[in-house]
Amino acid sequence: DKAAESFTARLVFLPAVIYPFFGVYLNMQGHLYASVNSCFAMIWCLKVVWGFFSDSTPIFGKRRIYYMALGWTISVVAYSVAVSIPYPEPYYATSHCHQDVTRVINPSAPQQGIHYIVVLSVAVFGVAIVDLAADALVVDYTKREPLATRGTCNAYAHVAASFGAVLLFLIQGFALNSPEYGGEWCGLTFTYRDILVVFLCVSVFGLFNSLFFTVDPIEADPVPLKQQIAEFWQVVKLRVFQRVSILFVMVPALMNARSSGMVKIRHHWAGVTPFANSMASVGAALLVAVGMIILQNVLLQKSWPKLYIVVKSYCLLVALAVETLTIFDVVRNQYFYFSEELIQAVGTGMTAFILLQLAAEISEEGNEALTFGVLMTNWSLSHSLSAIIGNFASAHYGVTEDLRYLRDSPDDRMMVYYSVLTGFGINILAMPVMYLLCPDQRQEVHDMKKWMGSSSVTAGLYVLLFLTLLALTFTFNILVMSPSTSCLVIVGGEGCHHA
């Protein structure tokens, strides 16, 4: 049941298919493209609200399955609206089965993409509700597993999610490989709208799966609002919860900060096509699945922070080598460029495994969804924060416009390289933060609950920080998506020069 939910939810994971449409077809500027991902991640920040309702307000005596059904219903409605939006013309013309970057036929294409972002954000909101309820169901099962093998349900649920991602990437690779999307197959008539129709059908399937095949073993009664808040406040007061919450924000935010020119490097210098990109993504998803199985069966008892530092150090070294050789035209080949993504997938899967194990151990009985929702919201905030950090750090170098990559002069290469080096420098900072904040293993989480104690003062400061970061993220994404403010340096633009 949970495996089916994970598979289906991953199959409609929109951020996985934004590159061909938003990055190539609509040719969004680098910082604006980065903020599309950030916007979708921002929607996941609302999972905490649904975590509260899922724990305290059962529907027909069930805390999980009917919230899944609600999420799928929202997605069905949103995708139905999305497929009815007039489909825009591409930014660039096509000539002889290739995108002609010298002929712009739709200068307003990036702005037309805003309509899709708004509607698809609603669809992401629905999938977020499904994901939150399904994750909470996993926590319910995980709490019943023996400590020595705890995490098996979690690991195999994410293996199923990885196979859902594989199917998604295959659909994208075969459907969006025409020249308009940066591909090579002439005469291919599939569009991004067709992908959205597939998502609509999958969401309908997910709705039926939730209602008729998913098993929610716990019968629950409604919990009074005051009691629910009081119980969760006891969790928030735990210093170990505050420590882990900060980890969920800071480590991914620092590690995932990237130069806003990365999408342009992929498109113009590495020559990444949608089909090849999808095949690489399939490989990455399979590596994540294999990595999850290895972690569960071989490395389950290893030190979490040490494992993170070793794997991520290797990933960063490989990524830096690939970016260097691509930028300076030593090797400009899309398949070589994918070696970075394949290695990074291993690190991403390992990070997800550690954070999800932490979330399962921190949660208390009766507050599983709310606790999980808060931690996952922090994780989602980290994606937006990483976009803010990456865009702001890259703004000085001016790497968001196509001209720098088409000109490809030594000065252009150096400016792009400096922006990439700045991003990697920020990534390195995640390692000492992980080492300082992450418990060594599951048992240490429970030990820290006892000896670290609780504090109302630090809990209040944590809540203030959480709300401030949430407001900052929403403000940032609004500024980026508005044509009049997306040029601001603070959001990654090159400065506004209004008459």
Side-chain angles (χ1 to χ4, degrees), residues 184 270-273 275-277 279-280 322 331-342:
E184 303 170 322
V272 173
T273 63
F275 180 75
N277 179 66
M279 295 305 101
V322 171
V331 182
R332 286 187 177 174
N333 180 280
Q334 60 181 337
Y335 299 103
F336 171 74
Y337 194 78
F338 290 145
S339 61
E340 173 188 347
E341 295 191 14
L342 293 175

Side-chain angles (χ1 to χ4, degrees), residues 232 235-253 304-305 351-364 371-382 433-449 451-453 458-459 462 465-466 469:
F232 183 64
V235 177
V236 175
K237 289 197 316 182
L238 292 172
R239 288 191 174 94
V240 65
F241 173 83
Q242 299 159 22
R243 175 171 169 166
V244 169
S245 295
I246 294 172
L247 181 153
F248 266 72
V249 175
M250 294 305 300
V251 170
W304 288 339
T351 303
F353 179 84
I354 293 174
L355 294 185
L356 290 169
Q357 297 302 318
L358 272 173
E361 298 302 327
I362 286 290
S363 62
E364 298 289 344
T371 305
F372 210 92
V374 170
L375 293 176
M376 293 301 106
T377 294
N378 286 336
W379 198 356
S380 298
L381 285 172
S382 76
V433 175
M434 183 71 173
Y435 186 79
L436 291 172
L437 296 181
C438 184
D440 203 57
Q441 261 291 335
R442 294 184 184 86
Q443 188 56 51
E444 188 175 349
V445 176
H446 297 285
D447 293 340
M448 290 170 70
K449 284 183 179 181
W451 66 261
M452 288 188 70
T458 54
Y462 164 75
L465 177 63
F466 176 81
L469 187 56

Side-chain angles (χ1 to χ4, degrees), residues 92-104:
Y92 288 120
T94 56
S95 178
H96 304 293
C97 293
H98 291 286
Q99 195 176 55
D100 186 354
V101 296
T102 63
R103 292 174 53 211
V104 176

